[in-house]
Amino acid sequence: MCGIVGYVGGGQAAPILLEGLHRLEYRGYDSAGLALAEGDKLQVIKAAVRVGELRERVGDGHTAPVGLAHTRWATHGEPTDINAHPHTDAGGRVAVVHNGMLENAEELREELLAAGVTPGSETDTELLAHLIAAELDGTESLEDAVRAVLRRVDGAYGIAVLDATRPTELVVARDGSPIVLGIGDGEMFVASDVAALVRHTQRVVYLDDGELATISAGDYRTSTLGANRTAKTTTTVDVTDEDYRLGDYTNYMHKEIHEQPTAVRRAVLGRLDDRFATAHLGGLQQDARELRSFRSVKLLGCGSAYYVAQLGANLIEEWARIPADAEPASEFRYRNPVIDPDALYIAVSQSGETKDTLAAVQELKRKGGRVIGVVNAPGSTIARECGSGIYLHAGPEVSVASTKAVTNMTVCFAMLGLLLGRMRDLSVARGRGIVSALDALPKAIEDVLAAEEAIAEVAERFSWAARMFFIGRVWYWPVAREGALKLKEISYVHAEAYQAAELKHGPLALIDSGMPSVVLVGDDELLAKNVATLEQIKARGGPVIAVTNAEIPADLADAVIRVPRVHPELDPIVFTIALQLFGYHIATALGREIDKPRNLAKSVTVE
Ligand code: F6R
């Protein structure tokens, strides 16, 4: 999704802006550009190119100490040079970069046309540049001009504005799309994502919806759209530039798959209590009485986060015996749901910025629902909107395909299930079993990673397939869905997940020698049923790849991926990691660009 970077200070803005854009590349984009205030003129360089190419076009020798830059993911208008940001007014005085989408863009465009201004691009952002420039004719302050325009805007935005005649300041504002200020020493930074800032500073200020900020080299001030000053607190982020380095890996997905043992160790650190066989989750503001009072749990997320939510619901229901279920946040928000005052709602998100999940949280809060967040990105919008919750501590996730965040989400749900369970009827003995399994999990993940070569060999053998089934039952159904999603998003192989028992109700018709099935066979009470599933598929000539921690008849699988046993309800985690490697190695065999899957962006901040 789109990215914003801005700089005001004593240094040269251009290299800082370009480096910031490079850090935001992982979010997905189709064009890039920057604007510098040189003298009292704007210098704008933008095109439908990668950041590396933009860097070449910008070249050296720009000394401007202020500027803003953008990576665009097309919404209004094609990804072309003209539609790339920054956009300027007709006189070339005001430059604007914008994340989000204006809902009354057509109305604003007609108003400008009636006033004799013809926008050159198809974007909604350019309209803002013209409108702000017009306001500047009647006001002394860029902030007031921006505020006046934003009051007339419907929709979502994070914007940064530069006025060539005021080359010592930038104005930024947000409503529905994040803006973070980075406080340096005699210099100030701004970005839509801390990833672009951490090279320069760890001290950040998050703007809230409906807030503006004017930033200069040594200072910033914030206010509301209603022109009331606001007081902000500075947060020190626990992330450094090092966390974003690729090191010896060829792509971020592979790096992050391998970071999972460390990520899980961080997630459980200081949170497991062996003595009382429970978990301590300091981010939950609810006291024991309130936590005991919930009569049901509803988990909401999108994509992989939704599949993990399904697994989380199973864990909570199994251990705490509270009815729990999961729903895609994107459906929940649009269907006018009945909000149960006795339910605990949980919003799950790696980025903490997913628009549909955020909208579900806002809908819940508006209707008086009690909601907590299970979020990776500290200070993100969903984390702040929920106010209470559990951080994943997975570290920054750069790969578009989520891996370590998925694992840490499951671990966090396991700890929540344990906590809620031990407040109810989960026995000390069962609780202890879960605590020691969570302690042992990083080692089990290491064992899966150590089997990478064998998994890669199976993946390569089946990389001819244009379509695949992923089959799982109960605990392994969300795992099958996640495995299918991982494969399709990075390899473009059509992958469908089915519950094993549903195969006979229709999908079996698709089984033939061209449709391999990845069947998840856990060593549990459903083992015999799963062996029967293998037989059904084999009988119809379908190739079978069994992922298993059980003993299965050798003639029922064309390939076997072996995974270690950890704990009956936590084994799905290690199966998921085996499927990450399987999908990754198919995509690699097909020569896909792993970190830049087509049509996808890392953090989906549009509807
Ligand atoms: C798949 C993937 C997506 C995200 C989804 C939600 O690998 O990454 O399906 O899980 O877009 O994102 P977050 O967790 O940031 O809300």
Side-chain angles (χ1 to χ4, degrees), residues 278-293:
T278 186
H280 297 293
L281 299 168
L284 293 180
Q285 313 273 295
Q286 295 75 7
D287 61 19
R289 182 181 285 264
E290 191 178 356
L291 286 174
R292 270 192 62 94
S293 72

Side-chain angles (χ1 to χ4, degrees), residues 302-305 348-352 354 357 400-402 409 485-486 489 602 604:
C302 295
S304 293
V348 195
S349 175
Q350 185 287 127
S351 62
T354 299
T357 310
V400 170
S402 187
M409 281 173 190
L485 177 65
K486 217 87 301 177
E489 68 179 326
K602 179 63 182 161
V604 186

Side-chain angles (χ1 to χ4, degrees), residues 303-308 310-311 401-403 406-407 470 476-489 497 520 576-577 579-580:
S304 293
Y306 160 56
Y307 299 145
V308 183
Q310 241 195 325
L311 196 47
S402 187
T403 56
V406 161
T407 294
F470 283 70
Y476 294 94
W477 159 231
V479 179
R481 299 180 95 183
E482 171 60 9
L485 177 65
K486 217 87 301 177
L487 179 65
K488 69 184 123 187
E489 68 179 326
L520 311 178
T576 305
I577 291 169
L579 293 187
Q580 291 168 357

Side-chain angles (χ1 to χ4, degrees), residues 24-74:
L24 298 185
E25 280 193 282
Y26 79 96
R27 299 171 66 93
Y29 68 105
D30 46 52
S31 50
L34 58 69
L36 303 166
E38 295 195 324
D40 60 355
K41 296 259 174 318
L42 283 183
Q43 170 93 12
V44 178
I45 303 162
K46 60 177 190 161
V49 295
R50 311 300 299 172
V51 171
E53 167 75 23
L54 179 72
R55 196 189 290 272
E56 276 172 34
R57 292 190 186 195
V58 170
D60 299 327
H62 294 280
T63 53
V66 56
L68 41 80
H70 193 257
T71 45
R72 173 173 187 254
W73 202 75

